[in-house]
Amino acid sequence: MDGIASDVAVGVKRSSDELLSGSLYNSPNSSVTANGSDSKKLRVEDSMDSPPSRVIHIRKLPNEVSETEVIALGLPFGKVTNILMLKGKNQAFLELGTEEAAVTMVNYYTAVTPQVRNVPVFIQYSNHKELKTDSALNQRAQAVLQAVSAVQEGGSPSSAAGESVLTPAPSPVLRIIIDNMFYPVTLDVLQQIFSKFGTVMKIITFTKNNQFQALLQFSDPVNAQQAKLSLDGQNIYNSCCTLRIDFSKLVNLNVKYNNDKSRDYTRPELPAGDGQPPVDPSVAATLSKDSTSLLGTPSGMVTSYSSGGGFPSSLGAISPLSAAAAAAAAAGRVALSGHSGPGGVLLVSNLNEEMVTPQSLFTLFGVYGDVQRVKILYNKKDSALIQMSDGNQAQLAMSHLNGQKMYGKIIRVTLSKHQTVQLPREGLDDQGLTKDFTSSPLHRFKKPGSKNFQNIFPPSATLHLSNIPENVTEEDLRLLFSNSGGTVKAFKFFQDRKMALLQMSTVEEAIQALIDLHNYDMGRGHRLRVSFSKSTI
């Protein structure tokens, strides 16, 4: 017994973390073994000093957590080969098939805090290179693991311990319902989430009984089974947008159009349909592949976080919400940290007080929600209060605009303690520093289910233009946007010439152009609509 204890102490960094259950000891070949003894104790290793290992140690799990939920944390990163549950200590060990998969998992969860049942959990490398378990003592966990392994390998899961854990998948088509949908969920978000489990061939989205729903077809029923096992009941965002997944009675989807409502990734040549922007074939081809890059290079995906929000503030050409949603749901019960503030009021500071106006703030922040009121502070004119329609919109605007450049200065956006922005007393002249936009016709999101909910993207150099009159040429638009003080690098009309993409030299130039030219009068009753695009030209 003393020999075992000395083996444990060698090379293990002592830390203040709680002791593991006594069912573990360190064997000479550096493996973890469960043998049911209560007399041996091992301190939790410090992951910062532990070298990479394919055995992952998970701590602070909620009570009554299931084996399936723990396995789901590792499933998107590769094959899960073993699991040991320490329910009395709210801990677990998870063994992945390769060290590379484990490194990807730990790197990803370093950037995005994993949550199980809305409780943050802690993930680190184990000092042990292998996980050995006594199936008699770890029976339920092994049964679930065997069932998942059978699905991963395309076989039929067998029953264990007198219990059928999984039944063969009846269809490659899943029916998906989004409950509690506080943030928009788009077709592309679903594709990125579900493609982690296999090739997504077709998706159709629709609204039924006032709920956003989708039918999604995999190339193989086994992939549908695996996705359902991992994703059913999980939140795409923190405490909202819950996935409810069942098998559809359909075995094949008939998709007629490729647009923002339906997509056949095997037939990129399909038309867009009436009034729908066409899907770029190169984008469709890219999306039809298994999105391994989503979690394959997590440190490159989640590049930074806003100080107050918790949503990634920069993800290249991919929408932060989309990419975060995809990563979150694909990686199991993960939700982004941060929550809506109690009110919808933002404090914006470090503004260029010589240039900023309530109207310019209304236009820029109106990209992410319906701005109700704006007040530039009388005694501190480089700061302003902006009241959004609700806390979710405030959070969204903050996550996208904090740290962006406006009129040459990097602005700071935080949640304000104020619940509302007060209007000046009647008869009091506040020099036009306060403006009420409650009845503005320019609100982008006042219509429930508006398409604008599906087109919320971070500030980018590429702008999406719409409502263009038919007599307006590319040269006209290039000149118009050049006059806003920037350089137009590229331009591309959509097929119907009512919409276009226009690329400025920098994101700052694009922000300036949007402020100046959104709602610009193009004549004949046409008001130009300008928004940020996720595309590049």
Coordinates of all heavy atoms in Angstrom, one line a residue, residues 27 111 134 146 155-156 183 206 302 327 335 468 522:
S27 N -1.3 3.3 -11.4 CA -0.6 2.0 -11.7 C 0.8 2.3 -12.3 O 1.0 3.4 -12.8 CB -1.4 1.2 -12.6 OG -1.6 1.8 -13.8
A111 N -11.3 28.4 -24.1 CA -11.9 29.7 -24.6 C -13.4 29.8 -24.3 O -13.8 31.0 -24.1 CB -11.7 29.7 -26.1
D134 N -13.5 -1.0 -13.9 CA -14.1 -2.2 -13.6 C -15.5 -2.2 -14.0 O -16.3 -1.4 -13.4 CB -13.9 -2.5 -12.1 CG -14.4 -3.9 -11.7 OD1 -15.3 -4.4 -12.4 OD2 -13.9 -4.4 -10.7
Q146 N -20.8 2.1 -24.6 CA -20.8 1.1 -25.7 C -21.9 1.4 -26.7 O -21.7 1.2 -27.9 CB -21.1 -0.3 -25.1 CG -19.9 -0.9 -24.3 CD -20.3 -2.1 -23.5 OE1 -21.4 -2.7 -23.7 NE2 -19.5 -2.4 -22.5
G155 N -22.5 0.7 -36.2 CA -23.1 -0.6 -35.8 C -24.4 -0.4 -35.1 O -24.9 0.7 -35.0
S156 N -24.9 -1.5 -34.6 CA -26.2 -1.4 -33.9 C -25.9 -1.6 -32.4 O -25.2 -2.5 -32.0 CB -27.1 -2.6 -34.3 OG -27.4 -2.5 -35.6
Y183 N -32.8 34.5 -29.3 CA -31.9 35.0 -30.4 C -32.2 34.3 -31.7 O -32.8 33.2 -31.6 CB -30.4 34.6 -30.0 CG -29.8 35.4 -28.9 CD1 -29.7 34.9 -27.6 CD2 -29.5 36.8 -29.1 CE1 -29.2 35.6 -26.6 CE2 -29.0 37.5 -28.0 CZ -28.8 37.0 -26.8 OH -28.3 37.7 -25.7
F206 N -39.0 26.3 -41.2 CA -40.4 26.8 -41.3 C -40.9 27.2 -39.9 O -40.2 26.9 -38.9 CB -41.3 25.8 -41.9 CG -41.4 24.5 -41.2 CD1 -42.3 24.2 -40.3 CD2 -40.4 23.5 -41.5 CE1 -42.3 22.9 -39.6 CE2 -40.4 22.3 -40.9 CZ -41.4 22.0 -39.9
V302 N -12.4 31.5 -31.7 CA -12.9 32.4 -30.6 C -11.7 33.3 -30.3 O -10.9 33.0 -29.5 CB -13.3 31.6 -29.4 CG1 -13.9 32.6 -28.4 CG2 -14.4 30.6 -29.8
A327 N -20.5 26.1 -32.3 CA -19.5 25.5 -31.4 C -20.1 25.1 -30.1 O -19.9 24.0 -29.6 CB -18.4 26.5 -31.1
A335 N -22.7 26.7 -23.0 CA -23.3 28.0 -23.3 C -22.3 29.1 -23.1 O -21.4 29.0 -22.3 CB -24.5 28.2 -22.4
I468 N -32.3 49.1 -53.9 CA -31.6 49.9 -55.0 C -32.5 50.1 -56.2 O -33.0 49.1 -56.7 CB -30.3 49.2 -55.4 CG1 -29.3 48.9 -54.2 CG2 -29.6 50.0 -56.5 CD1 -28.2 48.0 -54.6
M522 N -32.5 57.7 -52.5 CA -32.0 57.4 -53.8 C -33.0 57.9 -54.9 O -32.7 57.7 -56.1 CB -31.8 55.9 -54.0 CG -30.9 55.2 -53.0 SD -29.2 55.7 -53.2 CE -28.8 54.9 -54.8

